[in-house]
Amino acid sequence: MKCHYACGSAEHALHRRAFLESAVTGSIGAVGLGGILTGTRTIADQLKTGHKQVLNIFLHGGVSQLESWDPKPNTDTGGPFRAIPTSVPGVHICELLPHTSKQMHRLSIVRSLDTKNNNHGRGVVEMTTGRKQTPGTDYPHLGAVAAKALIPETFSLPGHILVRQSPGKRNIESKFHKAAYLGPRFASMAIYDAKPPAFGGESDSITAEADQRRNAFRKRVNDRFAARRRTADTEAYNFSFDQARELVAQRHVFDVTRESAADQERYGMSPFSTHCLLARRLLEHGVPYVQLNHADYDTHHENFNFHIEQLGEFDLPFARLVADLADRGMLANTLICVMSEFGRTPKINKTYGRDHWGTAWSVLLGGTGIQPGAVIGKTNENGTAVVEREVDHGHIFHTILQAAGVESTGEFQIGGRTFPIADPARGSISELLA
Amino acid sequence: MTDAVPVKVDPQKTSLSLEYKLSRPLTACHWEPNSRFVFFGAEDNLIHRFDVSSRTVISLAAHDSWVRSFGSSLDGEVLYSGGYDGRLGFWPAAADKPDPIHMIDAHQGWLRAIAVSPDGKHIATCGNDLRVKLWDVAAGTLVKEFKGHKSHVYNLTFSQDGSSLVTCDHKGVVNSWTVDSNEPRQLLTVKALHGYDTTFRADIGGARCIALRSDGVQLALGGISNVTNAFAGVGETAIALVNLADGKLDRILQSKDKTKGTMWGVAHHPSGFWIGLSGGSGGGWLTFWTGDADHEFFKLKLKNDGRGMSLSHDRTQIVVAHADMHLRTYALHGAT
């Protein structure tokens, strides 16, 4: 795609924030690097309100809402677990989440998702793009949208980081998150098993001075090329090169072993514990969007045994992370979401399993822009249907962005085309917004 | 209670002898020693008492979750119940309207199994808190707590002379504890009964059922083996036979067709054969082995998946808790 740049030189390129501010005042009429937001507020306006961040925790396979956020004890569908009180009077969650229960005054539950889907792949796509999956159409992942909208102008690291375990043989987790029309710079950078990316580091065979000269030469050649034949692809290559240099320079950001031994012990020893601690570190270093994947919850067989195991890994480090973000004043600027591709059937099958269920399930939200301690929506007595405030992936997508200060009803303008930021047929859950 | 005098049975004539339907799927069942009642649990937090002669049911309420394990005093007058709520109940088994004698918060998390000592003076329990506990039944008090397992303790039984307890955990670790010891003696790890699914990143395994051979020399541990997909339950039913004297694995009992599912019940018949109850993707089966060969000499297809099994005191009937809300009994000597 040929781009229309206001200036062909990297040296003279406007800073992103300056560009956006100029766009607002009308001093620049051209379309910028990746397009701009239009609507009631612009990114420039939004950035003035503070550096917002998003932490999304994706429980792959479909966590059971009945064993987490919407327990129905002593009903035909309730299963063997009890509900426990939380730090919010009158709000109960499953007994498998004792540590999280003490953080619920900082979090809120949406108990009324009906996403009308029981397919893993489609569920992942729809929950993370906020759109109905349509053949031949790619929408950007929530992380790409958040990164594009929230990344500070001076921020030189990737804005969209995915932390996950190494893939298994039949793994259904995303390998990376697509940025679609937002461009590759907003696609995810994946960190596997909390190991820092394989940086090459500085070469022993070249001095720092020689490296600087070499880089200056590269820039001169690039500029000359860009003056005549600049494209979105060349821009992405240049961006990747610059970002790689920054990654090397700031590799400590990804090194979770630099966290104190006390903190590592507080979070626990499981891989997800380490991932939560790494998430805290990445957020502290300003990464706009961090996603942790925790797998796996696809419990068609022995749902209850496996939820003890999986939520047993999730509960403590997640609760520690929420508490730490609050204690450090970061929750005021960080949106937290815990989602899956769907929930699990209220009906318990003959092998004590629960199957796929997109008809009535829950998502957890909290932090910046979200009313704390709220419960939105309701399911019926045994959790088989939504009876109050039905919402879907589109509403959740809008709500996350708006809570993070992004006007989700706005549009991206990319290469002269207009792309709604979120599904125009949906809106935020306004009563959940602070 | 009367001493069991095994009548002549013919497993190959095993047939359905009784059905009772509840409104919820069943979780466990227990034939008390006097054969008056079958107690069973269901997905409803209640204990149901089925009167064998009148074929009527009353329900006992006190647990705060499903009931998964039972035991009886030697005279059959006290029922012991264990629940997913971690509580241990003592009940007057034959009372018109039984109220609990004791309800004890016995374990943090699920209480998975109960065993009654041969002299009837103690019961032992195990659960998700990694603990094995010994209780005085007369006083309803804790006598001793055994620590040593590193994963959920799934099942247990007393040795035939009552001097020790044998326990098996989620990862197939089998420990033996003498009553006056503090440390376990690890007999073995039954690798066939545990797997870690690297795709789903979860452990699956453990003894879902346990029994001693009638002579007390051999231990049977039943569960799921050769799991290829933990979250879909794709694995094969299996029973591991362990020699208690030397802690060696004697044999793995499986079915010739490698039935898919989990072994949920096991018992040894004094006539000299093992009985296994299974459920899962391969359906419900009662399977019979001599113990001298890996494969069965007979298996009976059931109407639905089994989740729990108990042998009547006279050893002529098997009662099965089914997932399709039915309690069914099967006569071992043909139709009655």
Side-chain angles (χ1 to χ4, degrees):
Chain A
M1 182 174 67
K2 183 79 174 175
C3 291
H4 309 284
Y5 291 102
C7 176
S9 164
E11 293 297 326
H12 294 90
L14 288 172
H15 284 299
R16 188 165 174 275
R17 177 178 291 185
F19 174 83
L20 291 167
E21 286 174 343
S22 299
V24 173
T25 59
S27 61
I28 293 176
V31 177
L33 293 175
I36 63 169
L37 283 168
T38 62
T40 55
R41 297 174 71 226
T42 65
I43 289 175
D45 292 327
Q46 293 159 27
L47 290 174
K48 289 174 186 169
T49 63
H51 175 198
K52 303 291 186 184
Q53 294 168 282
V54 175
L55 168 65
N56 187 27
I57 300 181
F58 203 104
L59 306 182
H60 269 278
V63 71
S64 168
Q65 70 283 0
L66 295 148
E67 275 68 62
S68 55
W69 317 120
D70 194 11
K72 304 286 184 184
N74 205 10
T75 67
D76 61 333
T77 60
F81 297 115
R82 294 167 289 184
I84 54 172
T86 69
S87 54
V88 180
V91 174
H92 289 69
I93 61 175
C94 180
E95 66 176 318
L96 293 178
L97 298 163
H99 299 285
T100 302
S101 73
K102 294 172 185 156
Q103 299 299 324
M104 288 307 293
H105 59 290
R106 294 169 167 143
L107 303 165
S108 290
I109 307 170
V110 181
R111 284 181 170 157
S112 51
L113 273 81
D114 181 357
T115 45
K116 300 176 175 57
N117 165 57
N118 293 327
N119 177 274
H120 284 295
R122 184 177 152 195
V124 171
V125 169
E126 293 187 350
M127 285 303 294
T128 56
T129 64
R131 315 288 185 114
K132 188 172 173 57
Q133 190 179 31
T134 309
T137 305
D138 275 344
Y139 292 106
H141 189 280
L142 171 65
V145 175
K148 180 169 176 60
L150 300 176
I151 195 165
E153 164 250 323
T154 54
F155 193 73
S156 52
L157 291 173
H160 173 187
I161 294 182
L162 166 64
V163 179
R164 54 164 298 181
Q165 286 188 272
S166 294
K169 284 176 290 190
R170 294 184 301 273
N171 206 276
I172 57 172
E173 290 179 64
S174 320
K175 288 179 183 165
F176 69 98
H177 300 155
K178 291 179 181 177
Y181 42 73
L182 297 182
R185 68 173 288 193
F186 298 110
S188 61
M189 185 187 94
I191 297 177
Y192 289 94
D193 304 318
K195 291 175 186 161
F199 301 122
E202 288 96 3
S203 169
D204 294 336
S205 62
I206 188 168
T207 65
E209 188 182 320
D211 186 47
Q212 282 180 357
R213 284 201 308 272
R214 189 170 65 168
N215 198 41
F217 176 71
R218 181 187 64 82
K219 282 185 175 177
R220 281 201 304 276
V221 173
N222 274 353
D223 286 349
R224 197 167 76 177
F225 183 84
R228 289 176 287 117
R229 298 177 60 188
R230 191 171 197 179
T231 68
D233 286 342
T234 58
E235 187 66 22
Y237 296 146
N238 289 337
F239 176 79
S240 299
F241 192 92
D242 291 340
Q243 194 166 72
R245 289 177 63 84
E246 287 297 333
L247 282 171
V248 172
Q250 299 188 58
R251 52 164 107 44
H252 62 281
V253 171
F254 304 91
D255 186 359
V256 73
T257 63
R258 293 185 178 223
E259 296 295 329
S260 72
D263 270 350
Q264 292 182 45
E265 187 176 336
R266 272 196 327 118
Y267 274 67
M269 302 307 293
S270 76
F272 185 70
S273 300
T274 309
H275 292 176
C276 283
L277 194 53
L278 178 58
R280 190 188 77 180
R281 185 173 178 83
L282 293 170
L283 291 167
E284 280 184 315
H285 283 85
V287 176
Y289 181 92
V290 177
Q291 178 165 320
L292 307 184
N293 286 1
H294 188 225
D296 192 289
Y297 292 84
D298 192 19
T299 50
H300 296 278
H301 174 74
E302 298 196 343
N303 171 77
F304 308 109
N305 275 328
F306 286 125
H307 271 73
I308 292 176
E309 205 168 329
Q310 304 302 75
L311 286 175
E313 281 186 9
F314 169 84
D315 180 44
L316 175 70
F318 173 68
R320 292 271 192 265
L321 179 55
V322 173
D324 282 1
L325 294 178
D327 291 347
R328 294 167 187 222
M330 295 169 65
L331 212 50
N333 286 316
T334 305
L335 181 287
I336 296 175
C337 178
V338 180
M339 63 166 63
S340 280
E341 60 263 49
F342 41 58
R344 305 211 74 82
T345 49
K347 180 179 169 57
I348 299 161
N349 69 28
K350 63 184 183 178
T351 61
Y352 295 111
R354 295 191 192 270
D355 303 309
H356 302 172
W357 185 250
T359 305
W361 60 289
S362 307
V363 159
L364 190 77
L365 291 164
T368 188
I370 296 290
Q371 296 272 7
V375 175
I376 302 294
K378 191 175 175 183
T379 52
N380 63 5
E381 189 182 349
N382 61 1
T384 57
V386 172
V387 294
E388 190 177 295
R389 191 48 166 126
E390 181 181 313
V391 298
D392 68 10
H393 40 79
H395 298 97
I396 297 295
F397 197 84
H398 275 280
T399 304
I400 291 170
L401 290 176
Q402 293 209 7
V406 179
E407 182 45 76
S408 60
T409 57
E411 295 165 337
F412 291 116
Q413 289 187 356
I414 313 286
R417 293 178 63 196
T418 297
F419 297 88
I421 293 172
D423 187 349
R426 296 288 184 270
S428 65
I429 305 169
S430 56
E431 67 272 32
L432 182 57
L433 297 173
Chain B
M1 188 187 78
T2 56
D3 283 333
V5 181
V7 298
K8 183 171 175 57
V9 296
D10 182 355
Q12 303 198 48
K13 290 183 179 174
T14 302
S15 63
L16 180 66
S17 53
L18 184 149
E19 282 186 291
Y20 175 82
K21 186 177 182 186
L22 194 73
S23 58
R24 300 277 180 88
L26 274 54
T27 56
C29 59
H30 170 70
W31 214 313
E32 59 90 16
N34 295 312
S35 298
R36 297 165 297 177
F37 307 116
V38 172
F39 293 92
F40 59 99
E43 294 180 7
D44 62 2
N45 299 8
L46 299 171
I47 298 167
H48 303 275
R49 187 181 74 186
F50 179 78
D51 186 315
V52 176
S53 58
S54 68
R55 301 195 173 189
T56 56
V57 169
I58 66 164
S59 299
L60 290 60
H63 279 284
D64 203 16
S65 184
W66 300 351
V67 175
R68 62 170 296 118
S69 54
F70 295 103
S72 284
S73 61
L74 299 188
D75 63 5
E77 295 305 319
V78 180
L79 173 77
Y80 311 117
S81 62
Y84 288 76
D85 56 0
R87 301 172 83 198
L88 171 64
F90 289 50
W91 305 81
D96 289 342
K97 293 181 180 176
D99 286 321
I101 302 162
H102 305 292
M103 285 301 295
I104 302 165
D105 290 323
H107 290 269
Q108 290 290 317
W110 297 357
L111 190 166
R112 286 187 178 262
I114 295 173
V116 180
S117 67
D119 64 5
K121 292 180 180 174
H122 296 96
I123 59 173
T125 59
C126 60
N128 285 359
D129 56 4
L130 317 185
R131 303 287 195 269
V132 178
K133 296 187 178 184
L134 187 69
W135 306 86
D136 181 301
V137 298
T141 54
L142 181 66
V143 175
K144 190 161 188 173
E145 188 173 303
F146 301 96
K147 300 175 187 174
H149 279 287
K150 295 188 171 84
S151 63
H152 296 170
V153 191
Y154 269 50
N155 233 313
L156 79 175
T157 187
F158 279 93
S159 62
Q160 198 170 45
D161 64 3
S163 64
S164 61
L165 273 166
V166 183
T167 57
C168 180
D169 68 21
H170 188 194
K171 296 188 176 176
V173 174
V174 181
N175 286 335
S176 174
W177 318 73
T178 56
V179 171
D180 56 358
S181 71
N182 288 317
E183 296 294 325
R185 177 170 70 97
Q186 184 173 331
L187 289 179
L188 77 164
T189 298
V190 183
K191 292 180 180 172
L193 293 183
H194 172 256
Y196 180 77
D197 189 316
T198 55
T199 297
F200 294 110
R201 302 179 188 117
D203 290 287
I204 183 168
R208 311 309 173 92
C209 51
I210 194 168
L212 285 180
R213 199 167 72 185
S214 301
D215 61 8
V217 170
Q218 200 174 48
L219 176 76
L221 302 160
I224 186 168
S225 189
N226 298 324
V227 175
T228 55
N229 183 332
F231 283 12
V234 181
E236 298 161 4
T237 62
I239 292 173
L241 298 180
V242 176
N243 186 314
L244 279 177
D246 60 12
K248 296 277 199 277
L249 181 68
D250 283 341
R251 190 180 297 281
I252 300 287
L253 303 179
Q254 289 200 284
S255 56
K256 290 170 196 160
D257 63 359
K258 299 197 181 298
T259 302
K260 300 292 184 195
T262 302
M263 201 59 76
W264 285 107
V266 63
H268 189 256
H269 197 281
S271 298
F273 57 87
W274 290 100
I275 310 165
L277 167 78
S278 61
S281 59
W285 294 91
L286 280 172
T287 310
F288 301 83
W289 296 266
T290 63
D292 297 327
D294 294 347
H295 295 137
E296 76 279 11
F297 63 87
F298 177 65
K299 61 187 288 193
L300 176 71
K301 176 75 174 166
L302 307 180
K303 286 186 178 179
N304 194 261
D305 293 47
R307 288 175 161 185
M309 179 187 92
S310 179
L311 190 59
S312 67
H313 193 68
D314 66 5
R315 312 297 198 265
T316 63
Q317 302 265 334
I318 297 167
V319 63
V320 174
H322 283 280
D324 66 351
M325 308 185 199
H326 281 83
L327 182 75
R328 295 187 177 94
T329 63
Y330 301 87
L332 285 169
H333 46 64
T336 56

